[in-house]
Amino acid sequence: MTAAAVAARVTDPEMPMLTLADLGILRAVDESADGVVVTITPTYSGCPAMQTIRDDLTAALREAGYPRVEVRTVLTPAWTTDWISAAGRDKLAAAGISPPGAAPRRAAGPVPLTLAPSRRAVSCPQCGHPDTEEIAAFSATACRSLRRCPVCREPFEHVKEI
Amino acid sequence: MSFDAAYEALTDHDDDARWAYGTGFADPLAGVDTTVPADVDRADLSAYCLALGDDALIMSHRLQQWVTRAPELEDELALANIALDLLGQARLLLSRAAEVEDAGRDEDVLAYQRDAAEFRNVRLAERTDADFAHLVARLLVFATWRLALLDRLTASGDPVLAAIGAKGVKEVTYHRDYAAQWVVRLGDGTPLSHERMQAAVDAVTPLIGELFRPHPTEVRLAAVAVAVDPSALRPEFDAVWAQVLKAATLRPAADVPDEADSGVSASVAQDGADRGGSSGGPAGAGRTDFAPDGGGRDGVHTAALADILAELQGVARSLPGSEW
Ligand SMILES: [Zn+2]
């Protein structure tokens, strides 16, 4: 297997239904005579999974016969949920997590303030009802908000658009 | 699975010992191109990264203290996540400060082995919160100011600061929304919540002025387009602050002197002879720089910072170099 294929199969520790490739944080895998250089980007500045991801990448590549592995971090361009693949979105939905919509486009000028809970049209991953309410902008991780469906009454997590 | 096996499962893929108290993790800038632009003064750049990192580190710690004390589980999660974002920003900035300084220190040394007078955070970050209304007022001020700052930092001539800014903008946008929505909910709520929210707004107002006073380091770095001159952030801050207060049916606090000007900080016991007591109003109409006693950017802090550091650094200082 190529180093790129091995790296692409490593999963995210906090959303293990997604591979690093699905999540869009795997930016490059370069193989050379000197070894493998894997380039990743963090989802959030404080993402506590980054160290585990580095270790998991190194371990998976070593096991696949690539003893020399260097994991590099790039901070720019900053990760956006738009980089989550179509397959990744399907896997999130199958796990009951509502995938993100399109990331907000910044207009010129100051970042706009949102004074009311976001009124994005997010459909319920359980029953498909098209309009759900936000309970909290943050949940088990910074990247997910907590929402509730008014029809089936089920709470669910939604990957926030950033 | 026995407890021992569970422990091994947590640690077996990584032979590196961890600090008992700290991160022990890879430098968060590992593999990032960290070249310093040629025309930038390294001491200034290091000091600037340290100040912005200290703001995030100390604010993060204060937010962490709310976990188990917030009104609802959802708010504990929100505050913990906001604290984590800021801790991530702090790690990047302290790592950058240490690397540019090039004196053999790292993020752990900077976080755990400095005394209060060596910290450069604004006093707003260290202030204790009397209640939840005080917390959301302080968080709104902090996030509004920091969002405006990070947004301009994306154009910094230092590529690492620009990248930290771009990432941080996305995060702090959510922090500001969270705080603003709570200020509106409490301000435009019951008579009691309105009264307490108003008291919190009044209490945080004397800490606002310090945020916009340029430190000489910031002035020099802004001149070479690396730092943001904080005085340029004031109009954006004032617009957001007024928008939220109006929606929350709150009034701006009466014209109060800035705390750093009025010499009321707990740790700065001065005789006040040159301060004009309470008769003069805000000191120094023509002021271009810090008040005589300085502010957090000069290492002049309140006793609240010493309390935070006692908690933050206690284990690291009592068991130096410990690993597990
Ligand atoms: Zn439903």
Side-chain angles (χ1 to χ4, degrees):
Chain A
M1 209 182 313
T2 64
V6 174
R9 284 161 37 130
V10 173
T11 54
D12 178 72
E14 290 188 339
M15 292 193 281
M17 74 293 286
L18 299 184
T19 65
L20 302 184
D22 288 332
L23 191 54
I25 66 172
L26 189 65
R27 304 308 296 158
V29 181
D30 299 305
E31 249 181 279
S32 75
D34 296 332
V36 179
V37 176
V38 182
T39 306
I40 56 176
T41 191
T43 51
Y44 283 70
S45 301
C47 176
M50 286 304 283
Q51 179 67 25
T52 305
I53 290 170
R54 302 173 74 91
D55 293 345
D56 289 351
L57 277 167
T58 305
L61 283 160
R62 281 189 183 147
E63 203 168 299
Y66 297 93
R68 279 182 298 178
V69 180
E70 185 190 343
V71 181
R72 290 186 187 159
T73 307
V74 286
L75 296 177
T76 186
W79 181 78
T80 159
T81 42
D82 288 350
W83 293 351
I84 298 178
S85 68
R89 288 161 198 272
D90 290 345
K91 291 176 193 173
L92 284 170
I97 299 174
S98 148
R105 292 270 165 269
R106 250 307 275 294
V111 180
L113 179 72
T114 306
L115 276 180
S118 70
R119 289 298 307 165
R120 267 175 185 280
V122 174
S123 57
C124 171
Q126 305 294 337
C127 74
H129 184 73
D131 194 17
T132 57
E133 61 173 340
E134 182 178 283
I135 301 172
F138 300 86
S139 69
T141 68
C143 59
R144 288 176 277 177
S145 63
L146 196 59
R147 302 184 71 93
R148 179 167 49 202
C149 172
V151 175
C152 72
R153 308 301 296 168
E154 287 289 332
F156 64 93
E157 290 187 309
H158 171 71
V159 177
K160 280 189 294 199
E161 297 77 12
I162 74 163
Chain B
M1 190 192 295
S2 73
F3 179 78
D4 286 348
Y7 182 80
E8 277 165 23
L10 284 171
T11 55
D12 65 0
H13 63 296
D14 175 9
D15 296 332
D16 298 335
R18 292 192 168 82
W19 296 110
Y21 48 84
T23 61
F25 293 154
D27 180 338
L29 291 175
V32 172
D33 180 2
T34 50
T35 314
V36 175
D39 55 342
V40 175
D41 183 274
R42 293 186 79 99
D44 277 349
L45 179 58
S46 178
Y48 185 57
C49 293
L50 187 68
L52 299 185
D54 283 349
D55 291 336
L57 178 65
I58 299 304
M59 187 69 184
S60 174
H61 195 83
R62 271 279 175 256
L63 291 170
Q64 290 166 47
Q65 292 177 326
W66 275 94
V67 176
T68 73
R69 292 177 170 86
E72 291 187 340
L73 182 60
E74 286 76 6
D75 292 292
E76 310 224 310
L77 290 170
L79 294 170
N81 276 307
I82 293 169
L84 186 60
D85 284 344
L86 291 174
L87 190 60
Q89 293 174 19
R91 288 192 60 200
L92 291 164
L93 287 159
L94 293 188
S95 294
R96 181 63 169 161
E99 175 190 76
V100 171
E101 178 191 56
D102 197 21
R105 301 201 283 184
D106 63 12
E107 54 167 329
D108 281 355
V109 172
L110 290 177
Y112 295 119
Q113 295 179 25
R114 281 182 299 150
D115 293 328
E118 297 171 90
F119 274 75
R120 292 293 178 265
N121 59 281
V122 292
R123 290 182 189 176
L124 175 75
E126 70 206 37
R127 172 62 55 97
T128 50
D129 301 303
D131 61 16
F132 189 74
H134 281 71
L135 166 70
V136 292
R138 201 167 59 86
L139 183 58
L140 175 62
V141 170
F142 184 85
T144 301
W145 166 67
R146 192 169 181 87
L147 179 57
L149 196 164
L150 293 174
D151 195 24
R152 283 158 182 79
L153 209 55
T154 59
S156 171
D158 177 40
V160 177
L161 276 177
I164 292 170
K167 197 135 201 64
V169 163
K170 294 171 178 236
E171 296 162 359
V172 180
T173 297
Y174 279 106
H175 306 175
R176 189 184 65 173
D177 286 348
Y178 171 82
Q181 288 171 20
W182 260 113
V183 170
V184 171
R185 194 191 302 186
L186 293 175
D188 192 19
T190 66
L192 177 62
S193 74
H194 176 87
E195 184 187 320
R196 291 178 67 169
M197 195 64 243
Q198 183 67 58
V201 165
D202 293 349
V204 79
T205 298
L207 295 165
I208 293 175
E210 181 185 6
L211 308 179
F212 303 99
R213 264 200 302 265
H215 186 273
T217 304
E218 291 169 318
V219 173
R220 287 193 295 272
L221 284 177
V224 291
V226 165
V228 175
D229 179 346
S231 62
L233 309 175
R234 188 80 204 225
E236 181 178 331
F237 175 90
D238 285 345
V240 173
W241 184 235
Q243 182 190 353
V244 176
L245 292 186
K246 183 162 183 281
T249 71
L250 296 164
R251 53 173 170 69
D255 196 18
V256 288
D258 292 339
E259 180 175 294
D261 289 344
S262 57
V264 296
S265 83
S267 65
V268 187
Q270 303 206 5
D271 63 13
D274 59 349
R275 241 170 260 295
S278 57
S279 61
R287 182 193 66 230
T288 56
D289 206 336
F290 272 16
D293 70 335
R297 288 280 189 259
D298 288 318
V300 180
H301 294 285
T302 63
L305 181 62
D307 292 341
I308 290 177
L309 296 182
E311 193 172 88
L312 178 72
Q313 301 177 333
V315 177
R317 287 193 182 242
S318 59
L319 298 167
S322 297
E323 292 174 352
W324 58 272

mmCIF file of all heavy atoms in Angstrom, chain B residues 269-284:
data_model
loop_
_atom_site.group_PDB
_atom_site.id
_atom_site.type_symbol
_atom_site.label_atom_id
_atom_site.label_comp_id
_atom_site.label_asym_id
_atom_site.label_seq_id
_atom_site.Cartn_x
_atom_site.Cartn_y
_atom_site.Cartn_z
ATOM 1 N N ALA B 269 0.108 49.359 45.639
ATOM 2 C CA ALA B 269 -0.135 50.272 46.748
ATOM 3 C C ALA B 269 0.772 51.476 46.582
ATOM 4 O O ALA B 269 1.951 51.430 46.860
ATOM 5 C CB ALA B 269 0.153 49.556 48.067
ATOM 6 N N GLN B 270 0.199 52.553 46.078
ATOM 7 C CA GLN B 270 0.981 53.766 45.914
ATOM 8 C C GLN B 270 0.353 54.856 46.772
ATOM 9 O O GLN B 270 -0.801 54.762 47.169
ATOM 10 C CB GLN B 270 0.992 54.179 44.442
ATOM 11 C CG GLN B 270 1.534 53.061 43.566
ATOM 12 C CD GLN B 270 2.141 53.585 42.276
ATOM 13 O OE1 GLN B 270 2.250 54.778 42.072
ATOM 14 N NE2 GLN B 270 2.531 52.673 41.417
ATOM 15 N N ASP B 271 1.119 55.886 46.987
ATOM 16 C CA ASP B 271 0.584 56.886 47.906
ATOM 17 C C ASP B 271 -0.472 57.766 47.253
ATOM 18 O O ASP B 271 -1.221 58.452 47.918
ATOM 19 C CB ASP B 271 1.729 57.749 48.471
ATOM 20 C CG ASP B 271 2.438 58.542 47.386
ATOM 21 O OD1 ASP B 271 1.905 58.634 46.255
ATOM 22 O OD2 ASP B 271 3.518 59.068 47.668
ATOM 23 N N GLY B 272 -0.537 57.735 45.943
ATOM 24 C CA GLY B 272 -1.606 58.453 45.260
ATOM 25 C C GLY B 272 -1.419 59.956 45.260
ATOM 26 O O GLY B 272 -2.295 60.685 44.834
ATOM 27 N N ALA B 273 -0.271 60.423 45.714
ATOM 28 C CA ALA B 273 -0.071 61.868 45.819
ATOM 29 C C ALA B 273 -0.174 62.562 44.462
ATOM 30 O O ALA B 273 -0.628 63.694 44.364
ATOM 31 C CB ALA B 273 1.297 62.154 46.441
ATOM 32 N N ASP B 274 0.232 61.853 43.396
ATOM 33 C CA ASP B 274 0.214 62.490 42.083
ATOM 34 C C ASP B 274 -1.032 62.113 41.294
ATOM 35 O O ASP B 274 -1.096 62.260 40.092
ATOM 36 C CB ASP B 274 1.467 62.106 41.299
ATOM 37 C CG ASP B 274 1.578 60.606 41.121
ATOM 38 O OD1 ASP B 274 0.803 59.865 41.788
ATOM 39 O OD2 ASP B 274 2.424 60.168 40.343
ATOM 40 N N ARG B 275 -2.016 61.598 41.969
ATOM 41 C CA ARG B 275 -3.129 61.032 41.245
ATOM 42 C C ARG B 275 -4.394 61.882 41.263
ATOM 43 O O ARG B 275 -5.338 61.620 40.548
ATOM 44 C CB ARG B 275 -3.444 59.660 41.816
ATOM 45 C CG ARG B 275 -3.300 58.582 40.788
ATOM 46 C CD ARG B 275 -3.381 57.225 41.412
ATOM 47 N NE ARG B 275 -2.058 56.669 41.603
ATOM 48 C CZ ARG B 275 -1.235 56.359 40.618
ATOM 49 N NH1 ARG B 275 -1.582 56.568 39.383
ATOM 50 N NH2 ARG B 275 -0.076 55.848 40.869
ATOM 51 N N GLY B 276 -4.413 62.857 42.148
ATOM 52 C CA GLY B 276 -5.533 63.777 42.136
ATOM 53 C C GLY B 276 -6.798 63.216 42.742
ATOM 54 O O GLY B 276 -7.864 63.755 42.541
ATOM 55 N N GLY B 277 -6.693 62.122 43.465
ATOM 56 C CA GLY B 277 -7.858 61.561 44.153
ATOM 57 C C GLY B 277 -9.027 61.353 43.221
ATOM 58 O O GLY B 277 -8.849 60.988 42.061
ATOM 59 N N SER B 278 -10.209 61.639 43.691
ATOM 60 C CA SER B 278 -11.395 61.375 42.893
ATOM 61 C C SER B 278 -11.876 62.627 42.166
ATOM 62 O O SER B 278 -12.874 62.608 41.489
ATOM 63 C CB SER B 278 -12.520 60.865 43.801
ATOM 64 O OG SER B 278 -12.761 61.830 44.809
ATOM 65 N N SER B 279 -11.154 63.716 42.316
ATOM 66 C CA SER B 279 -11.676 64.970 41.790
ATOM 67 C C SER B 279 -11.394 65.166 40.313
ATOM 68 O O SER B 279 -12.093 65.912 39.649
ATOM 69 C CB SER B 279 -11.073 66.143 42.573
ATOM 70 O OG SER B 279 -9.660 66.133 42.419
ATOM 71 N N GLY B 280 -10.382 64.492 39.803
ATOM 72 C CA GLY B 280 -9.938 64.845 38.465
ATOM 73 C C GLY B 280 -10.585 64.079 37.325
ATOM 74 O O GLY B 280 -10.370 64.401 36.173
ATOM 75 N N GLY B 281 -11.355 63.062 37.625
ATOM 76 C CA GLY B 281 -11.903 62.253 36.542
ATOM 77 C C GLY B 281 -10.781 61.485 35.871
ATOM 78 O O GLY B 281 -9.680 61.383 36.408
ATOM 79 N N PRO B 282 -11.047 60.938 34.676
ATOM 80 C CA PRO B 282 -10.026 60.148 33.988
ATOM 81 C C PRO B 282 -8.752 60.964 33.807
ATOM 82 O O PRO B 282 -8.795 62.106 33.337
ATOM 83 C CB PRO B 282 -10.675 59.826 32.645
ATOM 84 C CG PRO B 282 -12.150 59.935 32.898
ATOM 85 C CD PRO B 282 -12.301 60.997 33.949
ATOM 86 N N ALA B 283 -7.653 60.369 34.198
ATOM 87 C CA ALA B 283 -6.396 61.114 34.174
ATOM 88 C C ALA B 283 -5.907 61.321 32.754
ATOM 89 O O ALA B 283 -6.097 60.497 31.893
ATOM 90 C CB ALA B 283 -5.341 60.347 34.976
ATOM 91 N N GLY B 284 -5.282 62.459 32.540
ATOM 92 C CA GLY B 284 -4.485 62.643 31.340
ATOM 93 C C GLY B 284 -5.257 62.729 30.056
ATOM 94 O O GLY B 284 -5.254 61.797 29.269
#
